[in-house]
Amino acid sequence: MHFVTFSILVCCSLGLSWAAGWNYPDLENNKDAPFPSWGGLCDSGKRQSPINLEAKWALKGKFDKLKFKNYDDEQKNLDMVNNGHSVQMNHFNDDMVLQGGGLGHEYELEQIHLHWWSEHTINSVRYPLEVHMVHRNRLYPNMTVATSFKDGIVVVGVLFHVSNSPNAAIGSIIKNLDDVQAYSRVNKPVTVANSLAVSDLMPQTLGSYYTYAGSLTTPSCAESVIWIVLTETLPVTLEQVNEFKKIEYSSGKQLYNNYRFLQTINNRVVVLVDSDHRTGGAAGRTASFGLILLLAMAAQKLFL
Ligand SMILES: *[C@@H]1O[C@H](CO)[C@@H](O)[C@H](O)[C@H]1NC(C)=O
Ligand SMILES: [Zn+2]
């Protein structure tokens, strides 16, 4: 493997350095602007994200409950950065771990960032905002290594719907936006002053979600992501969403939209999990992520 090239691509996808090499279409000035080619796996991959999540085409699954350990802890050392393609929060408390569900390993929270509008659509509806909670498989020492394995990363996606009542957790992120918004602030993290618990960004119903095998939605588009997109959406006002659009990615240029266009499913299996309402008879039944991959392979055989 060409490891040097690979690490460079991975570094940029994680927002560790600002590379002018890729961007989003300028939908503010041209709503029909085509999506630019990002190269590599972003163009050639067969397991890309985001996708449209359609309830009627999804397999129904009953996994064990997901366990979010310490997600209601107040974050003491959080910082926030404008990385030129999103607003990202880093340095979460140690020992915030996601496990259970169909996951075969423990996944540790690495960073949280936002997309405006949503990247995933549910039943073809695009929401105004999507939060991504990026987790690394504890088997792997860092994100660079994790992105080279199929089970390396879990991203939990939370979608927000338009409401008249402001979202308090999003509001506390917005409070810090002024300090990172200018182009001169790109890649210069600031400490988040007010406390935020990650669970404030999550809905009550954690047992209902779509899960599928996909990719990072920014270059390198590594196909190392188990996606968990929660079906319950949270409220946000359009005024709040507009605050994120003030982020500059270039001198005097605001990041009006930072969602990747929908990718083809290619016979992948999407499972709609509902672990909150499972009946007694299903109690002993658990499925692993390996089963999803197996089903995906079986489906491909059927359709070929
Ligand atoms: C990730 O871990 C590998 C293996 O331990 C190491 O070689 C590499 O330098 C690390 N990369 C980063 C960015 O820390
Ligand atoms: Zn993302």
Side-chain angles (χ1 to χ4, degrees):
M1 127 138 44
H2 306 283
F3 194 74
V4 173
T5 317
F6 184 73
S7 334
I8 289 167
L9 289 172
V10 166
C11 99
C12 304
S13 79
L14 301 174
L16 300 177
S17 78
W18 166 240
W22 62 275
N23 60 344
Y24 293 99
D26 180 4
L27 300 180
E28 185 179 22
N29 292 310
N30 175 10
K31 66 178 174 52
D32 299 318
F35 202 86
S37 165
W38 284 346
L41 261 187
C42 306
D43 295 343
S44 64
K46 296 279 182 280
R47 249 186 64 171
Q48 291 289 296
S49 297
I51 58 172
N52 177 44
L53 303 164
E54 193 79 34
K56 64 172 180 279
W57 297 332
L59 282 185
K60 308 304 183 283
K62 287 180 190 291
F63 292 174
D64 282 343
K65 281 195 172 160
L66 290 170
K67 294 190 196 75
F68 294 87
K69 191 176 149 201
N70 297 331
Y71 282 61
D72 47 9
D73 280 4
E74 275 190 14
Q75 298 300 316
K76 304 281 191 235
N77 305 306
L78 206 55
D79 63 43
M80 180 184 285
V81 68
N82 167 6
N83 59 27
H85 44 257
S86 183
V87 175
Q88 183 168 310
M89 284 161 287
N90 301 294
H91 297 135
F92 289 90
N93 295 355
D94 291 341
D95 210 28
M96 296 186 57
V97 174
L98 168 61
Q99 60 190 106
L103 303 173
H105 301 279
E106 295 188 353
Y107 288 83
E108 190 171 314
L109 184 64
E110 282 273 342
Q111 48 106 330
I112 294 182
H113 62 267
L114 302 95
H115 297 267
W116 45 94
W117 292 270
S118 71
E119 299 213 287
H120 290 92
T121 57
I122 296 187
N123 301 326
S124 296
V125 173
R126 189 177 301 284
Y127 289 78
L129 191 68
E130 180 167 340
V131 167
H132 284 164
M133 302 173 176
V134 182
H135 300 72
R136 169 182 50 81
N137 188 331
R138 280 190 150 176
L139 285 181
Y140 311 122
N142 55 44
M143 291 294 280
T144 311
V145 174
T147 51
S148 56
F149 291 92
K150 275 186 165 51
D151 62 356
I153 294 170
V154 168
V155 184
V156 176
V158 182
L159 276 57
F160 290 72
H161 62 263
V162 177
S163 164
N164 288 325
S165 41
N167 184 296
I170 295 294
S172 72
I173 294 173
I174 289 172
K175 265 187 205 155
N176 298 281
L177 277 185
D178 278 352
D179 297 336
V180 299
Q181 156 181 317
Y183 177 57
S184 62
R185 302 295 313 170
V186 167
N187 284 334
K188 293 180 180 142
V190 297
T191 304
V192 174
N194 48 313
S195 60
L196 177 79
V198 174
S199 58
D200 295 341
L201 289 165
M202 304 170 95
Q204 299 291 317
T205 325
L206 297 172
S208 176
Y209 56 88
Y210 291 93
T211 185
Y212 75 97
S215 73
L216 300 176
T217 63
T218 54
S220 64
C221 304
E223 298 185 326
S224 55
V225 181
I226 299 168
W227 278 94
I228 293 178
V229 180
L230 303 176
T231 56
E232 186 183 341
T233 59
L234 290 175
V236 71
T237 66
L238 285 181
E239 288 72 21
Q240 287 186 308
V241 176
N242 286 339
E243 291 298 316
F244 292 100
K245 297 181 184 180
K246 294 179 182 168
I247 291 290
E248 291 187 338
Y249 67 96
S250 175
S251 187
K253 285 198 159 182
Q254 296 180 349
L255 190 57
Y256 181 75
N257 52 280
N258 64 352
Y259 68 93
R260 188 184 190 197
F261 286 12
L262 293 174
Q263 306 295 302
T264 49
I265 293 185
N266 291 325
N267 295 330
R268 271 176 289 175
V269 170
V270 176
V271 180
L272 175 53
V273 178
D274 196 349
S275 52
D276 278 349
H277 303 108
R278 57 189 215 169
T279 57
R285 221 171 90 197
T286 58
S288 68
F289 192 70
L291 178 61
I292 300 178
L293 292 174
L294 201 69
L295 287 169
M297 281 158 55
Q300 264 169 3
K301 290 240 166 60
L302 282 179
F303 290 118
L304 279 175

